[in-house]
Amino acid sequence: MTTTDIHAPLVHAPIAALIVDAAGVVSFGNAAAATLLAEPDAGALRNSLFFVWFCEDDAETLRQMFDVFFKVPMETRGSWSRQMVLNGADGSCPTVTMTLAPVAGEGGERAVVYLRNMTREITAERRFSQMFETLPLGVVVVDGKGRIAQANAMLSSQFGWKVEQLIGQPLDMLLPQRYRAEHGAHIAAYAAAPVARVMGTDRDLNGLHRHGREFPVEIALTRFESSAQPLYMAIVSDISHRKRSERALQQTNAQLEEFTYVASHDLRSPLRGIADLVTWIQEDLEGTDLPDDVVHNFERITQRIERSEQMIDDLLSYARAGVRDSRMQRIDPHELVEEALELTAIPEGFEVDVDVQGGDIVAPRAPLSTSLRNLLSNAVKHHGGTQGHVRISMREEGRFAIFTVEDDGQGISPENEDRIFKLFHRASPKTDGDGVGLAFTRRMINAHGGMVTVQGRGSLGGASFEVHWPRILLRENEDDD
């Protein structure tokens, strides 16, 4: 085999390649080798000593390996690989995998050395290991038989086992006994179609602590790339705190609704009795010439009874507003805003601007429409003038549709920006109402995964309300059924 025949396939090879003799003298190097060794060109490698690119200890090891390699008969030589650290001419020290392979012909006096830069792979592995260990979620890697191949410190903490106690054990040791019979079938089904997915969002899924205590979890599954056998990675989230919060919120809502119903029943009866007494007194005095102040007081009593009854109705609405509406539908925001404007009594002296920039929303229509109507009505009622400017707009930001309702009215003082959302708080004693409207609106928006905020002085000069409403349906917002 001629020198040209040996060099030709290596010249443009993407991996660094050198041809060396038994003494380690380089007779050829390709461009990839020159780049790896930080030499100006491939020609600069010729007649250089291969061993000088390694530290003294590694160089001595390589000389001994070369001696063994070249002493054995050509027909019995095999390739071997070793990982070492190079000393580049520019001071770089890349970790490489070095493979020594025989060259056919020429009496076996030369060999090919392939050098593969492993720096990126090693850096990636190191970063993954750091992330794996420091991730604030439990992570476990299992093989196709469901045995634990790797686990991080957080998983160890969650389940109460030391990491070394988990390795090699069946994954179902982390599951309550009632789940284990079906676990093998689930592993096999997932291995047949390993699509990344989340378990435990639509049903209860529990993990088993070492001491027998069960706790709720969510698990994200994905295939873990491996050059050997297939591996699968599970990210385990302990959702005990979230479940406790959900139960506490459900209990609070239930207690609030129960209290409201009882209070409304107990309050309506005496109010009706007072109203009846006032009516009977007026009937008894019919035909009597009453002073104007007495007539006025009767009217005031009637108005206050009606206002109290309205307050009871508002309390019931407020209690119901904490219940999530699960009737999802696709909503055109342009139609939604037009509907809200049509159903709101906007005085003739007010100019209304509409600016909707965004696509459809998947949400329950009634609570979103009601929230916008309440804010539009609020903008007019608390404007402070008979003529004004109101603007309602929408834009998309992440997974939220952001509706803005603003006006050019008297605005809201900074100290009242938080108070106006409190139950029975009124922005001004001069305005009608019992101070439930904004509290009702916020409670309804929050119940559906949204948020409402206010800026006392917006771009128009008056109050500016922003509603962040989820425009994309998430699993946690789906109906539990």
Side-chain angles (χ1 to χ4, degrees), residues 75-271:
E75 60 273 11
T76 62
R77 292 179 191 174
S79 301
W80 56 261
S81 298
R82 185 184 180 93
Q83 195 170 95
M84 291 186 169
V85 178
L86 275 175
N87 294 320
D90 61 351
S92 61
C93 297
T95 300
V96 298
T97 296
M98 184 185 70
T99 302
L100 184 64
V103 175
E106 301 185 347
E109 296 179 355
R110 293 187 296 173
V112 180
V113 177
Y114 297 101
L115 300 172
R116 182 185 174 197
N117 192 342
M118 301 297 294
T119 303
R120 289 185 178 179
E121 287 84 347
I122 292 172
T123 300
E125 289 177 3
R126 186 180 298 116
R127 288 175 178 172
F128 173 78
S129 296
Q130 291 174 347
M131 180 182 69
F132 188 89
E133 286 302 323
T134 60
L135 196 68
L137 299 170
V139 185
V140 59
V141 178
V142 299
D143 63 15
K145 300 295 184 181
R147 293 183 293 261
I148 298 174
Q150 195 173 359
N152 71 347
M154 179 55 72
L155 187 96
S156 168
S157 174
Q158 287 173 340
F159 289 89
W161 297 93
K162 295 181 179 179
V163 172
E164 55 268 27
Q165 293 175 314
L166 294 170
I167 306 303
Q169 298 300 316
L171 181 63
D172 61 13
M173 71 180 290
L174 306 179
L175 304 174
Q177 187 67 41
R178 61 184 180 277
Y179 295 146
R180 296 180 184 179
E182 299 179 358
H183 180 248
H186 290 323
I187 288 288
Y190 183 77
V195 178
R197 63 189 179 94
V198 177
M199 301 171 58
T201 56
D202 54 355
R203 62 187 176 91
D204 290 336
L205 186 62
N206 288 355
L208 179 66
H209 192 271
R210 180 183 181 182
H211 299 304
R213 171 178 58 85
E214 293 187 17
F215 58 97
V217 296
E218 282 183 354
I219 301 176
L221 295 174
T222 187
R223 185 185 176 96
F224 187 74
E225 294 299 328
S226 171
S227 57
Q229 61 174 306
L231 299 175
Y232 307 95
M233 183 168 66
I235 299 176
V236 182
S237 304
D238 183 345
I239 58 173
S240 301
H241 179 72
R242 194 183 82 190
K243 287 291 186 180
R244 286 194 295 269
S245 298
E246 289 175 354
R247 287 194 295 269
L249 181 60
Q250 290 170 356
Q251 291 174 359
T252 300
N253 285 336
Q255 291 168 359
L256 174 61
E257 191 165 357
E258 181 181 2
F259 167 78
T260 306
Y261 281 122
V262 171
S264 66
H265 178 271
D266 291 345
L267 289 173
R268 284 186 192 277
S269 294
L271 280 175

Side-chain angles (χ1 to χ4, degrees), residues 12-24:
H12 301 295
I15 188 172
L18 304 164
I19 295 179
V20 298
D21 61 17

Side-chain angles (χ1 to χ4, degrees), residues 7-72:
H7 294 178
L10 302 178
V11 172
H12 301 295
I15 188 172
L18 304 164
I19 295 179
V20 298
D21 61 17
V25 178
V26 177
S27 60
F28 167 82
N30 65 2
T35 300
L36 179 62
L37 295 165
E39 293 291 349
D41 55 60
L45 301 174
R46 194 175 299 117
N47 296 323
S48 57
L49 187 61
F50 178 65
F51 306 125
V52 301
W53 290 312
F54 300 88
C55 69
E56 188 173 345
D57 290 342
D58 283 348
E60 183 58 32
T61 301
L62 285 172
R63 286 191 180 94
Q64 295 173 10
M65 290 179 173
F66 270 51
D67 287 343
V68 173
F69 181 86
F70 282 99
K71 282 179 180 179
V72 300

